[in-house]
Structures are given as C-alpha cells and as structure tokens.
Amino acid sequence: MKKRVLSVLLAAVMVFSMAGCSGGGSSSESSDDTAASASEDSGSSDAAEEETEIQVFIAASLNTVMTEIAELYNEDHPNVKITYNADSSGTLLTQIQEGYECDIFFSAAQKQMDDLEADGLMVEGTRANVVNNQVVVVTLKDSGTSVTGLENLGDAESIALAGGSVPVGRYTRQALVNLGILPETDDPASITTEEVSEALGGVEISEQDNVSKVLTAVAEGSCEVGTTYYSDTYGYEDDLEILQTVSYDLTGDVIYPIARVVNEEADDAQNAAADDFLKFVLSDEAKAVFDSYYFDTNVE
C-alpha cells in the first residue's frame, strides 16, 4: 500500500508547479539540445524532465528561501512539481518515521538527520551540509525593552521560545547553559519551558512549536522578545530589532543538513527528480540565493 501523503498540508506548505507547455514546431533534435542546455546550466539530469512530483520536508526557517529556489529550479524543469512541508525539524522527522511520503529532508540541525540515518531512512551517500545560521534575540522596534540579550533575558515581561525539540529552542537552551543561567546537562533539549522560566526568575514564556511562530509572536507584539534565526529576520528589517546575535561559542554551529529519504513507493521519474533537485540545492546558483537571505554558505 502506498505510503500516506499528508492529507492536509500545514499553512507553511508551499506547492510549486508550472504548466510545462512548449511552443510547436520544435524538432526532436532541438528539444534534446534545450534539455541538454538546461542540464548544463543547473547541474541537472535529463531524467528530471519527465512529469512528476516530489515531497520535500524543510525546516520552517527555510520556507522563504526555498520558495525562491523552487521557482528557479522550475524555470528549467517545469514538469517537476515540488511540494514543501515546512515545520520544525523534530516534527518533520516524526512524520517521516511514521511513514509520511518524503523524498528529501532538509533539517535545521544535525540531530534530526542523525536520527534519520540511524533509523535506516536515509539514502546512503546523499547527506550534505548546506548552510549555517545564527540565533538572534529580537524585539519589535521601539518596544522599549530593557533586554539586551540572553544575559538579561529574564528582564522581559514575556518571551517567545521554541520548545526543546525544535532546533532553535535547543540552541537557545544550550546558550543559556553555557552562560550558567541553566544547569549543565547532556541534553539541553530536555530542559522544559517551565524550567527555563524558573531559571529566568519566573518570566512568562510562550512556547512555540516552530521558529516561524516565534517570529510571528514577536512581530505581532504578543511577546516582548524571542529567539529566532538571523535568516528569519529577512523581510522584517523595518519591524524588528536584533538585540543580540548569539555567538557560536554559546550555541555551537547551526548547521542545516540535507539528504534523500528512502521512499520505496517512488518510481524512477520521482527518484530522478529528487536526486536532481538535491543537486540544485547544493549548486552555486542556489548558494547565491541562500546568501541573499542571510544564510552563511561557508560550510564544510
């Protein structure tokens, strides 16, 4: 039985497809030349030209940049429909483990990718690090907050914070551990929101289940401050103030890995398209897009 596809895609899910029409009068030789040219331009394979659809699970913080990358890819590959499922990396991993159909997983942290590999759900040899990011403390411009960063986060009246299973929530907890605000632990993700609140003097914390919701809570004024990624502030420059860009010394690297997911129900066209799109995400053309959205592409 075919794996079940998400019956109702989350609000952040973006579907990109193009009609795939071409003008008449072209010879077979001309069509072959066009396909070869597109392949050379994007590092693609001709197999991806067959009409198909791929399921790509992406961390919520990638939603905007991956929208543009899909549009660029579809310029040369209009017959490949790219369906995004955007949520926290922990939620996406759970969905894959439960059998949701997925061809590519693009996580905001190594832990979820490690778990995917350990479960035997990763296509061997396809894992690659794509970008680095950075945790930031943000507030609305002119909010008047006295918070300057993580060191005095408890001075806020309210904080938007992702849960521990969400990478940005875990990175924030790790930074607070390294600052001595939270107790030492082998697993910062296990520190509950209630424990964070207590360590910060009882401040009100609104727990969010992905990084986009943290950003929304601050941008709408529901919470005084929040921790999100630097890349998520793209497009919010007029609305948000970055109070602190948290150093890697506190969080560790915020690496986003990508890999192909084992999909036993995929046919040859779908597998070829998934392989090809992954190569495009790793291309120099895609790297320029990531750079423009405040991601750091200088990763090994």
Side-chain angles (χ1 to χ4, degrees), residues 15-34:
V15 177
F16 301 93
S17 62
M18 294 179 67
C21 298
S22 59
S26 297
S27 67
S28 174
E29 181 179 355
S30 175
S31 297
D32 290 343
D33 290 343
T34 301

Side-chain angles (χ1 to χ4, degrees), residues 12-299:
V13 175
M14 304 293 296
V15 177
F16 301 93
S17 62
M18 294 179 67
C21 298
S22 59
S26 297
S27 67
S28 174
E29 181 179 355
S30 175
S31 297
D32 290 343
D33 290 343
T34 301
S37 176
S39 175
E40 291 173 0
D41 290 343
S42 65
S44 309
S45 64
D46 291 341
E49 300 303 313
E50 184 174 345
E51 186 171 341
T52 190
E53 178 179 0
I54 59 174
Q55 307 287 331
V56 184
F57 284 28
I58 59 173
S61 52
L62 291 165
N63 196 38
T64 304
V65 66
M66 290 299 286
T67 296
E68 182 168 336
I69 286 176
E71 290 170 347
L72 283 175
Y73 182 79
N74 280 145
E75 289 178 3
D76 290 328
H77 303 273
N79 291 331
V80 178
K81 182 164 70 172
I82 302 168
T83 300
Y84 284 146
N85 176 23
D87 210 321
S88 76
S89 300
T91 297
L92 297 175
L93 174 64
T94 298
Q95 291 172 347
I96 295 171
Q97 291 169 329
E98 290 177 348
Y100 287 93
E101 184 175 1
C102 176
D103 297 294
I104 296 173
F105 181 35
F106 197 171
S107 171
Q110 300 285 13
K111 181 183 184 302
Q112 286 76 24
M113 197 64 73
D114 291 342
D115 291 345
L116 185 80
E117 187 169 14
D119 289 343
L121 297 172
M122 180 189 298
V123 176
E124 185 176 353
T126 63
R127 180 172 179 171
N129 293 332
V130 185
V131 294
N132 204 348
N133 212 337
Q134 207 156 7
V135 175
V136 292
V137 182
V138 295
T139 188
L140 274 177
K141 283 192 174 179
D142 302 321
S143 69
T145 183
S146 60
V147 174
T148 57
L150 293 180
E151 290 83 355
N152 67 334
L153 194 61
D155 291 345
E157 291 186 2
S158 59
I159 302 169
L161 178 68
S165 65
V166 182
V168 72
R170 182 173 63 81
Y171 289 126
T172 301
R173 287 163 172 78
Q174 181 64 68
L176 292 172
V177 168
N178 289 334
L179 286 169
I181 295 172
L182 291 174
E184 289 284 345
T185 177
D186 292 333
D187 184 16
S190 67
I191 301 174
T192 67
T193 298
E194 290 75 17
E195 290 171 329
V196 176
S197 174
E198 183 178 350
L200 294 174
V203 62
E204 177 187 341
I205 297 181
S206 175
E207 181 177 316
Q208 306 295 327
D209 56 19
N210 66 50
V211 68
S212 297
K213 292 182 179 179
V214 172
L215 187 71
T216 298
V218 177
E220 292 181 348
S222 301
C223 293
E224 184 178 327
V225 300
T227 59
T228 184
Y229 293 123
Y230 178 47
S231 64
D232 285 298
T233 65
Y234 180 90
Y236 287 86
E237 294 86 353
D238 294 336
D239 303 310
L240 296 178
E241 177 184 355
I242 297 176
L243 299 171
Q244 179 187 29
T245 301
V246 184
S247 73
Y248 292 132
D249 291 339
L250 294 176
T251 61
D253 284 337
V254 185
I255 299 291
Y256 287 52
I258 194 171
R260 287 273 281 109
V261 177
V262 174
N263 182 358
E264 296 177 354
E265 301 300 328
D267 60 19
D268 290 344
Q270 187 172 341
N271 281 323
D275 288 338
D276 196 61
F277 184 62
L278 187 147
K279 289 179 183 177
F280 184 75
V281 173
L282 298 174
S283 70
D284 288 341
E285 185 175 358
K287 181 180 291 189
V289 180
F290 283 116
D291 284 333
S292 72
Y293 281 87
Y294 303 161
F295 286 93
D296 177 7
T297 57
N298 185 25
V299 296

